[in-house]
Amino acid sequence: MMSKEAGEKNRELFAGWIAEMKAKESPNWVDYFYADKLSPKKIADELGFGSDAFKAKRNPLLHEMLENLKFELAQMGVYHNRIPRLKKEEVDVTLPSENDEDIKDSAKVRDLKRANRRLQAENAKLSAEVAKLSEFKDVLEEMGLWK
């Protein structure tokens, strides 16, 4: 069982994340899917806590929030594997006290961080290729085939 404070913090983080995603002009929920299902692990990794927090026995309210999101995404047609057994029950969810601009700014920062990570990975890959090709250049210069 997780501490009450940690559970509350995780619920606030998740509620804020949902609000950020919904505040986007066209949120890409599919980034958080695995095998056509919403992935608690991908969400938890982004929010900085363990995916076990989404288990009903650890944090029933957080689990219910996730189930409600799945149901809502199914209603919107985003959730590819629609699960009819999902039932939407009312859960009292209080969002963090941020105004809409702060939420949109946070979403932009998160998108920029994600783009930055992708670009850093691409840069590392290209740097490795350049190093490899420079070795071939050295060999071609020694053979007199490179001017």
Side-chain angles (χ1 to χ4, degrees):
M1 202 85 182
M2 71 174 39
S3 76
K4 188 175 183 175
E5 294 83 21
E8 190 172 310
K9 180 183 174 204
N10 292 347
R11 287 191 298 276
E12 286 177 9
L13 285 170
F14 186 54
W17 178 82
I18 291 171
E20 286 176 18
M21 289 295 287
K22 289 180 178 180
K24 292 181 183 180
E25 194 169 316
S26 56
N28 192 1
W29 296 101
V30 179
D31 283 349
Y32 301 96
F33 277 44
Y34 178 77
D36 286 339
K37 293 183 181 177
L38 195 60
S39 170
K41 179 168 178 19
K42 287 185 177 188
I43 296 168
D45 286 349
E46 178 146 333
L47 296 177
F49 57 83
S51 59
D52 285 353
F54 283 108
K55 292 186 177 178
K57 289 183 179 183
R58 290 220 34 206
N59 192 333
L61 291 175
L62 186 62
H63 175 77
E64 190 64 31
M65 289 169 66
L66 179 66
E67 294 302 306
N68 287 343
L69 178 60
K70 288 178 182 180
F71 180 82
E72 190 175 333
L73 292 176
Q75 294 285 337
M76 293 172 16
V78 175
Y79 206 97
H80 301 294
N81 280 352
R82 297 171 193 239
I83 303 174
R85 71 178 185 280
L86 292 179
K87 296 175 186 159
K88 185 169 183 177
E89 296 175 15
E90 291 303 314
V91 175
D92 182 25
V93 177
T94 54
L95 295 176
S97 58
E98 296 179 338
N99 63 31
D100 287 343
E101 273 186 36
D102 287 343
I103 291 173
K104 287 180 183 175
D105 287 346
S106 286
K108 287 177 187 175
V109 168
R110 185 170 283 144
D111 287 344
L112 288 172
K113 284 181 179 179
R114 193 176 298 124
N116 188 30
R117 283 192 300 267
R118 270 196 310 270
L119 290 172
Q120 286 176 339
E122 183 179 351
N123 189 24
K125 180 180 173 188
L126 291 173
S127 294
E129 286 183 37
V130 166
K132 192 166 145 184
L133 292 174
S134 69
E135 290 176 22
F136 287 120
K137 179 184 172 199
D138 293 343
V139 170
L140 290 173
E141 284 177 341
E142 286 178 20
M143 295 173 67
L145 300 173
W146 186 276
K147 296 179 184 177

